CSV table of all heavy atoms in Angstrom, one decimal:
chain,number,residue,atom,x,y,z
T,775,LEU,N,103.7,121.3,103.6
T,775,LEU,CA,105.0,121.8,103.1
T,775,LEU,C,105.8,122.3,104.3
T,775,LEU,O,105.3,122.9,105.2
T,775,LEU,CB,104.8,122.9,102.1
T,775,LEU,CG,104.3,122.6,100.7
T,775,LEU,CD1,103.9,123.8,100.0
T,775,LEU,CD2,105.4,121.8,99.9
T,776,VAL,N,107.1,122.0,104.3
T,776,VAL,CA,108.0,122.5,105.3
T,776,VAL,C,109.1,123.5,104.6
T,776,VAL,O,109.7,123.0,103.7
T,776,VAL,CB,108.7,121.4,106.0
T,776,VAL,CG1,109.6,121.9,107.1
T,776,VAL,CG2,107.7,120.4,106.6
T,777,VAL,N,109.2,124.7,105.1
T,777,VAL,CA,110.1,125.7,104.5
T,777,VAL,C,111.0,126.3,105.5
T,777,VAL,O,110.6,126.5,106.7
T,777,VAL,CB,109.2,126.7,103.8
T,777,VAL,CG1,110.1,127.9,103.3
T,777,VAL,CG2,108.5,126.2,102.6
T,778,ARG,N,112.2,126.5,105.1
T,778,ARG,CA,113.2,127.3,105.9
T,778,ARG,C,114.0,128.2,105.0
T,778,ARG,O,114.2,127.9,103.8
T,778,ARG,CB,114.1,126.3,106.6
T,778,ARG,CG,114.9,127.0,107.8
T,778,ARG,CD,115.6,125.9,108.6
T,778,ARG,NE,116.0,126.4,109.9
T,778,ARG,CZ,116.3,125.7,110.9
T,778,ARG,NH1,116.4,124.4,110.8
T,778,ARG,NH2,116.7,126.2,112.1
T,779,THR,N,114.4,129.4,105.5
T,779,THR,CA,115.2,130.3,104.8
T,779,THR,C,116.5,130.5,105.6
T,779,THR,O,116.6,130.2,106.8
T,779,THR,CB,114.6,131.7,104.5
T,779,THR,OG1,114.6,132.4,105.7
T,779,THR,CG2,113.2,131.5,104.0
T,780,VAL,N,117.5,131.0,104.9
T,780,VAL,CA,118.7,131.5,105.6
T,780,VAL,C,118.4,132.9,106.2
T,780,VAL,O,117.4,133.4,106.0
T,780,VAL,CB,120.0,131.5,104.7
T,780,VAL,CG1,120.3,130.1,104.2
T,780,VAL,CG2,119.7,132.4,103.5
T,781,ALA,N,119.4,133.4,106.9
T,781,ALA,CA,119.2,134.7,107.5
T,781,ALA,C,119.0,135.8,106.5
T,781,ALA,O,119.4,135.7,105.3
T,781,ALA,CB,120.4,135.0,108.4
T,782,GLY,N,118.3,136.9,106.9
T,782,GLY,CA,118.1,138.0,106.0
T,782,GLY,C,116.7,138.4,106.0
T,782,GLY,O,116.0,138.2,107.0
T,783,THR,N,116.2,139.1,105.0
T,783,THR,CA,114.9,139.7,105.0
T,783,THR,C,113.9,138.9,104.2
T,783,THR,O,112.8,139.3,104.0
T,783,THR,CB,115.0,141.1,104.4
T,783,THR,OG1,115.5,141.1,103.0
T,783,THR,CG2,115.8,142.0,105.2
T,784,GLY,N,114.3,137.7,103.7
T,784,GLY,CA,113.3,136.9,103.0
T,784,GLY,C,112.2,136.3,103.9
T,784,GLY,O,112.4,136.1,105.1
T,785,ASN,N,111.1,136.0,103.3
T,785,ASN,CA,109.9,135.4,104.0
T,785,ASN,C,109.8,134.0,103.5
T,785,ASN,O,110.2,133.6,102.4
T,785,ASN,CB,108.7,136.2,103.7
T,785,ASN,CG,108.8,137.7,104.0
T,785,ASN,OD1,109.3,138.1,105.0
T,785,ASN,ND2,108.3,138.5,103.1
T,786,ALA,N,109.1,133.2,104.4
T,786,ALA,CA,108.9,131.8,104.1
T,786,ALA,C,107.8,131.6,103.1
T,786,ALA,O,107.9,131.1,102.0
T,786,ALA,CB,108.7,131.0,105.3
T,787,PHE,N,106.5,132.0,103.5
T,787,PHE,CA,105.3,131.9,102.7
T,787,PHE,C,104.7,133.3,102.6
T,787,PHE,O,104.4,134.0,103.6
T,787,PHE,CB,104.3,131.0,103.4
T,787,PHE,CG,104.7,129.6,103.6
T,787,PHE,CD1,105.3,129.2,104.8
T,787,PHE,CD2,104.4,128.6,102.7
T,787,PHE,CE1,105.6,127.8,105.0
T,787,PHE,CE2,104.7,127.3,102.9
T,787,PHE,CZ,105.3,126.9,104.1
T,788,THR,N,104.5,133.7,101.3
T,788,THR,CA,103.8,135.0,101.1
T,788,THR,C,102.6,134.7,100.3
T,788,THR,O,102.6,134.0,99.3
T,788,THR,CB,104.7,136.0,100.3
T,788,THR,OG1,105.9,136.3,101.1
T,788,THR,CG2,104.0,137.3,100.0
T,789,PHE,N,101.4,135.2,100.7
T,789,PHE,CA,100.1,135.1,100.1
T,789,PHE,C,99.6,136.4,99.7
T,789,PHE,O,99.5,137.3,100.5
T,789,PHE,CB,99.1,134.4,101.0
T,789,PHE,CG,99.6,133.1,101.6
T,789,PHE,CD1,100.3,133.0,102.8
T,789,PHE,CD2,99.4,131.9,100.9
T,789,PHE,CE1,100.8,131.9,103.3
T,789,PHE,CE2,99.9,130.7,101.4
T,789,PHE,CZ,100.6,130.7,102.7
T,790,ARG,N,99.3,136.6,98.4
T,790,ARG,CA,98.9,137.9,97.9
T,790,ARG,C,97.6,137.8,97.1
T,790,ARG,O,97.6,137.1,96.1
T,790,ARG,CB,100.0,138.6,97.2
T,790,ARG,CG,99.8,140.0,96.7
T,790,ARG,CD,101.1,140.6,96.0
T,790,ARG,NE,102.1,140.7,97.0
T,790,ARG,CZ,103.4,140.9,96.7
T,790,ARG,NH1,103.8,140.8,95.4
T,790,ARG,NH2,104.3,141.0,97.6
T,791,ASN,N,96.6,138.5,97.5
T,791,ASN,CA,95.3,138.5,96.7
T,791,ASN,C,94.8,137.1,96.5
T,791,ASN,O,94.3,136.8,95.4
T,791,ASN,CB,95.5,139.2,95.3
T,791,ASN,CG,95.7,140.7,95.5
T,791,ASN,OD1,95.3,141.3,96.5
T,791,ASN,ND2,96.3,141.4,94.5
T,792,ILE,N,94.8,136.3,97.5
T,792,ILE,CA,94.2,134.9,97.4
T,792,ILE,C,93.0,135.0,98.2
T,792,ILE,O,92.9,135.5,99.3
T,792,ILE,CB,95.2,133.9,98.1
T,792,ILE,CG1,96.6,134.0,97.4
T,792,ILE,CG2,94.6,132.5,97.9
T,792,ILE,CD1,96.6,133.7,96.0
T,793,ASN,N,91.9,134.4,97.6
T,793,ASN,CA,90.6,134.4,98.2
T,793,ASN,C,89.9,133.0,98.3
T,793,ASN,O,90.1,132.2,97.5
T,793,ASN,CB,89.6,135.3,97.4
T,793,ASN,CG,90.2,136.7,97.2
T,793,ASN,OD1,90.8,137.3,98.1
T,793,ASN,ND2,89.9,137.3,96.0
T,794,GLU,N,89.2,132.8,99.4
T,794,GLU,CA,88.4,131.6,99.5
T,794,GLU,C,89.1,130.3,99.2
T,794,GLU,O,88.7,129.5,98.4
T,794,GLU,CB,87.1,131.6,98.7
T,794,GLU,CG,86.1,132.7,99.1
T,794,GLU,CD,84.7,132.6,98.6
T,794,GLU,OE1,84.3,131.4,98.4
T,794,GLU,OE2,84.1,133.6,98.3
T,795,SER,N,90.2,130.1,99.9
T,795,SER,CA,91.1,129.0,99.7
T,795,SER,C,91.5,128.4,101.1
T,795,SER,O,91.2,129.0,102.1
T,795,SER,CB,92.3,129.3,98.9
T,795,SER,OG,91.9,129.8,97.6
T,796,LYS,N,92.2,127.3,101.1
T,796,LYS,CA,92.6,126.6,102.3
T,796,LYS,C,94.1,126.2,102.3
T,796,LYS,O,94.5,125.7,101.3
T,796,LYS,CB,91.7,125.4,102.6
T,796,LYS,CG,92.0,124.8,104.0
T,796,LYS,CD,90.9,123.7,104.3
T,796,LYS,CE,91.2,123.3,105.8
T,796,LYS,NZ,90.2,122.2,106.2
T,797,PHE,N,94.7,126.5,103.4
T,797,PHE,CA,96.1,126.2,103.6
T,797,PHE,C,96.3,125.4,104.9
T,797,PHE,O,95.9,125.9,106.0
T,797,PHE,CB,97.0,127.5,103.6
T,797,PHE,CG,96.7,128.3,102.3
T,797,PHE,CD1,95.8,129.3,102.3
T,797,PHE,CD2,97.5,128.1,101.2
T,797,PHE,CE1,95.6,130.0,101.1
T,797,PHE,CE2,97.3,128.8,100.0
T,797,PHE,CZ,96.3,129.8,100.0
T,798,THR,N,96.8,124.2,104.8
T,798,THR,CA,96.8,123.3,106.0
T,798,THR,C,98.2,122.7,106.2
T,798,THR,O,98.8,122.3,105.2
T,798,THR,CB,95.8,122.2,105.7
T,798,THR,OG1,94.5,122.7,105.3
T,798,THR,CG2,95.6,121.3,106.9
T,799,ASN,N,98.6,122.6,107.4
T,799,ASN,CA,99.9,121.9,107.8
T,799,ASN,C,101.0,122.5,107.0
T,799,ASN,O,101.8,121.7,106.4
T,799,ASN,CB,99.8,120.4,107.5
T,799,ASN,CG,98.8,119.7,108.5
T,799,ASN,OD1,98.5,120.2,109.5
T,799,ASN,ND2,98.3,118.6,108.0
T,800,LEU,N,101.1,123.8,107.0
T,800,LEU,CA,102.3,124.5,106.5
T,800,LEU,C,103.2,124.8,107.6
T,800,LEU,O,102.8,125.4,108.6
T,800,LEU,CB,101.9,125.7,105.7
T,800,LEU,CG,100.9,125.5,104.5
T,800,LEU,CD1,100.7,126.8,103.8
T,800,LEU,CD2,101.4,124.4,103.6
T,801,TYR,N,104.5,124.4,107.5
T,801,TYR,CA,105.5,124.6,108.6
T,801,TYR,C,106.6,125.5,108.1
T,801,TYR,O,107.2,125.3,107.0
T,801,TYR,CB,106.1,123.2,109.0
T,801,TYR,CG,105.1,122.3,109.7
T,801,TYR,CD1,104.1,121.6,109.0
T,801,TYR,CD2,105.2,122.2,111.1
T,801,TYR,CE1,103.2,120.8,109.6
T,801,TYR,CE2,104.3,121.3,111.8
T,801,TYR,CZ,103.3,120.7,111.0
T,801,TYR,OH,102.5,119.8,111.7
T,802,CYS,N,106.9,126.4,109.0
T,802,CYS,CA,108.2,127.2,108.8
T,802,CYS,C,109.1,126.9,109.9
T,802,CYS,O,108.8,127.1,111.1
T,802,CYS,CB,107.9,128.7,108.8
T,802,CYS,SG,109.4,129.7,108.7
T,803,ALA,N,110.2,126.2,109.6
T,803,ALA,CA,111.2,125.8,110.6
T,803,ALA,C,112.2,126.8,110.9
T,803,ALA,O,113.1,126.6,111.7
T,803,ALA,CB,111.9,124.5,110.1
T,804,GLY,N,112.1,128.0,110.4
T,804,GLY,CA,113.0,129.1,110.7
T,804,GLY,C,113.1,130.0,109.5
T,804,GLY,O,113.2,129.6,108.3
T,805,VAL,N,113.1,131.3,109.7
T,805,VAL,CA,113.1,132.3,108.6
T,805,VAL,C,113.7,133.6,109.1
T,805,VAL,O,113.6,134.0,110.3
T,805,VAL,CB,111.6,132.6,108.2
T,805,VAL,CG1,110.8,133.2,109.3
T,805,VAL,CG2,111.6,133.5,106.9
T,806,GLY,N,114.4,134.3,108.2
T,806,GLY,CA,115.1,135.5,108.5
T,806,GLY,C,114.1,136.6,108.9
T,806,GLY,O,114.5,137.5,109.6
T,807,ASN,N,112.9,136.6,108.3
T,807,ASN,CA,112.0,137.7,108.5
T,807,ASN,C,110.6,137.2,108.9
T,807,ASN,O,110.4,136.9,110.0
T,807,ASN,CB,111.9,138.5,107.2
T,807,ASN,CG,111.3,139.9,107.3
T,807,ASN,OD1,111.3,140.4,108.4
T,807,ASN,ND2,110.8,140.4,106.3
T,808,ILE,N,109.6,137.1,108.0
T,808,ILE,CA,108.2,136.8,108.3
T,808,ILE,C,108.0,135.3,107.8
T,808,ILE,O,108.3,135.0,106.7
T,808,ILE,CB,107.3,137.7,107.6
T,808,ILE,CG1,107.5,139.2,108.1
T,808,ILE,CG2,105.8,137.4,107.9
T,808,ILE,CD1,106.8,140.2,107.2
T,809,ALA,N,107.3,134.6,108.7
T,809,ALA,CA,107.0,133.2,108.3
T,809,ALA,C,105.8,133.1,107.4
T,809,ALA,O,105.9,132.5,106.3
T,809,ALA,CB,106.7,132.4,109.6
T,810,PHE,N,104.7,133.8,107.7
T,810,PHE,CA,103.5,133.8,106.9
T,810,PHE,C,103.1,135.2,106.7
T,810,PHE,O,102.6,135.9,107.6
T,810,PHE,CB,102.3,133.0,107.6
T,810,PHE,CG,102.6,131.5,107.8
T,810,PHE,CD1,103.2,131.0,109.0
T,810,PHE,CD2,102.2,130.6,106.8
T,810,PHE,CE1,103.5,129.7,109.1
T,810,PHE,CE2,102.5,129.2,107.0
T,810,PHE,CZ,103.1,128.8,108.1
T,811,TYR,N,103.3,135.7,105.5
T,811,TYR,CA,103.0,137.1,105.1
T,811,TYR,C,101.8,137.1,104.3
T,811,TYR,O,101.8,136.6,103.1
T,811,TYR,CB,104.2,137.7,104.4
T,811,TYR,CG,104.2,139.2,104.3
T,811,TYR,CD1,103.4,140.0,105.1
T,811,TYR,CD2,105.1,139.8,103.4
T,811,TYR,CE1,103.4,141.4,105.0
T,811,TYR,CE2,105.1,141.2,103.3
T,811,TYR,CZ,104.3,142.0,104.1
T,811,TYR,OH,104.3,143.3,104.0
T,812,ILE,N,100.7,137.7,104.8
T,812,ILE,CA,99.4,137.6,104.2
T,812,ILE,C,98.9,139.0,103.8
T,812,ILE,O,98.7,139.8,104.6
T,812,ILE,CB,98.4,136.9,105.1
T,812,ILE,CG1,98.9,135.5,105.5
T,812,ILE,CG2,97.0,136.9,104.6
T,812,ILE,CD1,98.3,134.9,106.7
T,813,GLN,N,98.9,139.2,102.4
T,813,GLN,CA,98.6,140.5,101.9
T,813,GLN,C,97.3,140.6,101.1
T,813,GLN,O,97.2,139.9,100.1
T,813,GLN,CB,99.8,141.0,101.1
T,813,GLN,CG,101.1,141.1,101.8
T,813,GLN,CD,102.2,141.5,100.8
T,813,GLN,OE1,102.6,140.8,99.9
T,813,GLN,NE2,102.7,142.7,101.1
T,814,GLY,N,96.3,141.4,101.5
T,814,GLY,CA,95.1,141.6,100.7
T,814,GLY,C,94.3,140.3,100.4
T,814,GLY,O,93.7,140.2,99.4
T,815,CYS,N,94.4,139.3,101.3
T,815,CYS,CA,93.7,138.1,101.1
T,815,CYS,C,92.3,138.1,101.8
T,815,CYS,O,92.2,138.6,102.9
T,815,CYS,CB,94.5,137.0,101.6
T,815,CYS,SG,96.1,136.8,100.7
T,816,LEU,N,91.3,137.4,101.2
T,816,LEU,CA,90.0,137.4,101.8
T,816,LEU,C,89.4,136.0,101.9
T,816,LEU,O,89.6,135.1,101.1
T,816,LEU,CB,89.0,138.2,100.8
T,816,LEU,CG,89.4,139.6,100.5
T,816,LEU,CD1,88.5,140.1,99.4
T,816,LEU,CD2,89.4,140.5,101.7
T,817,LEU,N,88.7,135.7,103.1
T,817,LEU,CA,87.9,134.6,103.3
T,817,LEU,C,88.7,133.2,103.1
T,817,LEU,O,88.2,132.3,102.6
T,817,LEU,CB,86.7,134.6,102.3
T,817,LEU,CG,85.8,135.8,102.4
T,817,LEU,CD1,84.9,135.9,101.2
T,817,LEU,CD2,84.9,135.5,103.7
T,818,ASN,N,89.9,133.2,103.6
T,818,ASN,CA,90.7,132.0,103.5
T,818,ASN,C,90.7,131.3,104.9
T,818,ASN,O,90.4,131.9,105.9
T,818,ASN,CB,92.2,132.3,103.1
T,818,ASN,CG,92.2,133.0,101.7
T,818,ASN,OD1,92.0,132.3,100.7
T,818,ASN,ND2,92.5,134.3,101.7
T,819,ILE,N,91.1,130.0,104.9
T,819,ILE,CA,91.3,129.2,106.1
T,819,ILE,C,92.7,128.8,106.2
T,819,ILE,O,93.2,128.2,105.2
T,819,ILE,CB,90.3,128.0,106.1
T,819,ILE,CG1,88.9,128.5,106.1
T,819,ILE,CG2,90.6,127.2,107.3
T,819,ILE,CD1,87.9,127.3,106.0
T,820,PHE,N,93.3,129.1,107.3
T,820,PHE,CA,94.7,128.6,107.6
T,820,PHE,C,94.6,127.7,108.8
T,820,PHE,O,94.2,128.2,109.9
T,820,PHE,CB,95.6,129.8,107.9
T,820,PHE,CG,95.9,130.7,106.7
T,820,PHE,CD1,95.1,131.7,106.4
T,820,PHE,CD2,97.0,130.5,105.9
T,820,PHE,CE1,95.3,132.5,105.3
T,820,PHE,CE2,97.3,131.3,104.8
T,820,PHE,CZ,96.4,132.4,104.5
T,821,GLU,N,94.9,126.4,108.6
T,821,GLU,CA,94.7,125.5,109.7
T,821,GLU,C,96.0,124.8,110.0
T,821,GLU,O,96.6,124.2,109.1
T,821,GLU,CB,93.6,124.5,109.4
T,821,GLU,CG,93.2,123.5,110.5
T,821,GLU,CD,92.0,122.7,110.2
T,821,GLU,OE1,91.5,122.8,109.1
T,821,GLU,OE2,91.6,121.9,111.1
T,822,LYS,N,96.3,124.8,111.3
T,822,LYS,CA,97.5,124.0,111.8
T,822,LYS,C,98.7,124.5,111.1
T,822,LYS,O,99.5,123.6,110.7
T,822,LYS,CB,97.3,122.6,111.8
T,822,LYS,CG,96.2,122.1,112.7
T,822,LYS,CD,96.0,120.5,112.7
T,822,LYS,CE,94.9,120.1,113.6
T,822,LYS,NZ,94.6,118.6,113.5
T,823,CYS,N,98.9,125.8,110.9
T,823,CYS,CA,100.1,126.3,110.3
T,823,CYS,C,101.1,126.7,111.4
T,823,CYS,O,100.6,127.2,112.4
T,823,CYS,CB,99.8,127.5,109.4
T,823,CYS,SG,98.9,127.0,107.9
T,824,TYR,N,102.3,126.4,111.3
T,824,TYR,CA,103.3,126.4,112.4
T,824,TYR,C,104.6,127.1,112.0
T,824,TYR,O,105.1,126.9,110.9
T,824,TYR,CB,103.6,125.0,112.8
T,824,TYR,CG,104.6,124.8,113.9
T,824,TYR,CD1,104.2,124.8,115.2
T,824,TYR,CD2,105.9,124.7,113.6
T,824,TYR,CE1,105.2,124.6,116.2
T,824,TYR,CE2,106.9,124.6,114.6
T,824,TYR,CZ,106.5,124.5,115.9
T,824,TYR,OH,107.5,124.3,116.9
T,825,VAL,N,105.0,127.9,112.9
T,825,VAL,CA,106.4,128.5,112.8
T,825,VAL,C,107.1,128.3,114.1
T,825,VAL,O,106.6,128.5,115.2
T,825,VAL,CB,106.4,130.0,112.4
T,825,VAL,CG1,105.6,130.8,113.3
T,825,VAL,CG2,107.8,130.5,112.3
Side-chain angles (χ1 to χ4, degrees):
L775 288 167
V776 183
V777 171
R778 193 168 200 166
T779 76
V780 296
T783 58
N785 305 316
F787 298 90
T788 299
F789 306 91
R790 186 174 291 164
N791 288 338
I792 307 297
N793 304 324
E794 293 195 36
S795 298
K796 186 169 184 180
F797 303 92
T798 310
N799 291 336
L800 303 182
Y801 289 78
C802 173
V805 61
N807 195 23
I808 301 169
F810 295 90
Y811 194 17
I812 299 162
Q813 300 179 294
C815 296
L816 306 173
L817 297 165
N818 300 289
I819 296 174
F820 294 83
E821 184 170 5
K822 294 181 181 178
C823 294
Y824 174 94
V825 54

